[in-house]
Amino acid sequence: MQKYGAEFLGTFWLVLGGCGSAVLAAAFPHVGIGLLGVSLAFGLTVLTMAFAIGHISGCHLNPAVSVGLWVGGRFPGSQLLPYIVAQVLGGLAAGAVLLLIASGKAGFDVTAGFASNGYGEHSPGGYSMLAAAVCEVVMTAFFLIVIMGATDKRAPAGFAPIAIGLALTLIHLISIPVTNTSVNPARSTGVAFFAGGWAIEQLWLFWVAPIVGAVLGAGAYRAISGTERA
């Protein structure tokens, strides 16, 4: 239960910090943090939580990461479902808190997007479903490669949170215009649940593509890394 609680709190922080920066601060008049700021916010949530709870739960914060680590031989299948449940509940709790905060401003409209992920007309840059799927698969695959490489026993000790946090920042810098960046089904679910409508209708892609990408990334790392297992 300590591990599941850590995953709940960690995912809560990721969704509140990352999506909160997008909803509350990205376009704030005159001093908005923009795409760069939102990208950095997501990276910082993972970096800070990796130091805070990495020694408790491994700091997955992401159903796709948990699946990828299981495929990669780094995580027991018996804990996979409880981890995913804890992560999704943490994301939903963060979405509820963010909605409560954002609703304190007159004129706020949760159905306008609420940092939800989307494709087609709901992609920030108008990218197609195929482009969105390819982007999410590739970004998540490389995220898993970085995670597994940085936490390999042969890697320099103590630097994994920095590499993983910066990797997530880079992923957002690349893919926010395409899908608003998911690579994390719990992050997508945490805000789509409250946005409703199209965000729920398109949510399937942001479960399927990240999980496929995670499996591919874990398989690729196992292929290049030799016999080491953490």
Side-chain angles (χ1 to χ4, degrees):
M1 292 305 297
Q2 291 174 324
K3 291 182 179 181
Y4 308 146
E7 285 297 303
F8 175 91
L9 292 174
T11 311
F12 179 97
W13 185 236
L14 183 148
V15 174
L16 184 63
C19 295
S21 71
V23 172
L24 304 174
F28 189 76
H30 311 303
V31 291
I33 62 175
L35 183 153
L36 178 59
V38 173
S39 300
L40 185 59
F42 271 101
L44 288 173
T45 63
V46 171
L47 188 153
T48 52
M49 272 297 140
F51 281 116
I53 67 169
H55 56 286
I56 302 172
S57 69
C59 192
H60 298 187
L61 318 185
N62 182 337
V65 168
S66 295
V67 171
L69 292 175
W70 170 61
V71 170
R74 300 285 190 87
F75 185 64
S78 61
Q79 295 181 26
L80 187 56
L81 182 58
Y83 261 57
I84 291 174
V85 170
Q87 292 156 359
V88 171
L89 290 177
L92 288 169
V97 170
L98 179 57
L99 179 60
L100 183 63
I101 296 170
S103 298
K105 180 180 179 180
F108 173 74
D109 180 13
V110 68
T111 64
F114 199 49
S116 297
N117 303 113
Y119 54 83
E121 64 179 307
H122 301 296
S123 158
Y127 288 84
S128 68
M129 182 178 72
L130 178 60
V134 171
C135 184
E136 289 290 325
V137 168
V138 173
M139 294 298 128
T140 314
F142 275 89
F143 194 36
L144 261 292
I145 291 171
V146 171
I147 290 171
M148 293 187 69
T151 57
D152 192 306
K153 289 180 178 179
R154 297 166 294 183
F159 294 98
I162 299 172
I164 294 168
L166 289 176
L168 190 61
T169 298
L170 175 59
I171 286 167
H172 279 77
L173 288 172
I174 297 167
S175 58
I176 284 177
V178 184
T179 63
N180 229 9
T181 309
S182 171
V183 302
N184 184 339
R187 169 263 188 267
S188 299
T189 303
V191 289
F193 178 83
F194 297 98
W198 65 264
I200 292 292
E201 293 171 2
Q202 296 191 354
L203 181 60
W204 67 271
L205 181 67
F206 303 105
W207 274 85
V208 174
I211 289 175
V212 170
V215 170
L216 293 175
Y221 187 78
R222 290 190 70 166
I224 66 172
S225 67
T227 60
E228 191 278 342
R229 297 289 177 268

